[in-house]
Amino acid sequence: MKSILLIYGLVYLLSVSPTYMVDNDKICWQENVILTVNDFQSLYPPVPEYVFKAQAWSKCSITVIRRSKKDGNDFCDVRVYFIKSKSWFEISKTDSRINNEVLAHEQLHFDIEELVGRKIRKCADDYYKINTKYSLELNSQIDCIFQERRALHSLYDEETDHGAIENKQIKWKEIIKSELDNLNDYKSTPKDCAM
């Protein structure tokens, strides 16, 4: 009887888990999923001196996995995650407005990760329209996108002063939304999160 209840409980938990939750530590990017303070679970900033420069740190991950279809042709799975245990947030106890501004800034970092994921999906899709097998050429193209990723995050932080310059933050949000919309055919789906 206990084992039946245990199995039923496990099935119930799996059936009610949100599709964007990969496991307890990762959130898969989805259109209507907004980060909250509770998603930042690291107790300390990644670098001790970083605490004096910012109020939050987001750790995101993009994985690109080469797979083969039944017909022998290759394809790429691309997954975009926010990693809770490696993300840190210093909550302002005096001004909730600051917390909201910091969350909006960190959310856009996560959205930038999704933009990069979409660029990789498009790149792989374009590549596989004329090729059936993975090659160093595609790997090189993906590496270039990852280099752009680092530069984009740095430029975003620099131009917005880590979200402190409100009009720049708004401008960046509009730019990233526009770019995400342009690559909407390549967005993360619940299927990507389930893999």
Side-chain angles (χ1 to χ4, degrees), residues 76-94:
C76 289
D77 276 340
V78 180
R79 301 174 194 162
V80 180
Y81 301 119
F82 175 87
I83 303 172
K84 297 180 342 178
S85 66
K86 296 184 187 273
S87 298
W88 166 80
F89 194 102
E90 183 181 344
I91 297 171
S92 172
K93 294 173 178 53
T94 58

Side-chain angles (χ1 to χ4, degrees), residues 81-140:
Y81 301 119
F82 175 87
I83 303 172
K84 297 180 342 178
S85 66
K86 296 184 187 273
S87 298
W88 166 80
F89 194 102
E90 183 181 344
I91 297 171
S92 172
K93 294 173 178 53
T94 58
D95 191 348
S96 62
R97 183 183 53 81
I98 291 174
N99 293 335
N100 292 335
E101 290 171 2
V102 172
L103 276 172
H105 181 77
E106 296 306 312
Q107 178 69 47
L108 203 55
H109 274 296
F110 194 21
D111 293 346
I112 289 170
E113 290 292 288
E114 170 64 8
L115 176 61
V116 171
R118 290 181 189 193
K119 287 180 178 182
I120 293 170
R121 286 186 194 102
K122 182 180 183 327
C123 175
D125 189 52
D126 291 347
Y127 175 84
Y128 285 124
K129 284 178 182 172
I130 53 175
N131 300 286
T132 57
K133 293 290 180 193
Y134 188 88
S135 75
L136 291 178
E137 177 188 347
L138 177 58
N139 196 56
S140 176

Side-chain angles (χ1 to χ4, degrees), residues 7 14-15 19 27 53 55 58 71 73 89 94 97-98 101 111-114 120 122 126 140 143 159 163 176-177 184:
I7 292 170
L14 291 174
S15 66
T19 57
I27 299 173
K53 297 179 184 173
Q55 192 176 349
S58 294
D71 64 6
N73 294 340
F89 194 102
T94 58
R97 183 183 53 81
I98 291 174
E101 290 171 2
D111 293 346
I112 289 170
E113 290 292 288
E114 170 64 8
I120 293 170
K122 182 180 183 327
D126 291 347
S140 176
D143 282 346
E159 287 189 0
I176 298 304
K177 182 182 179 339
N184 197 49

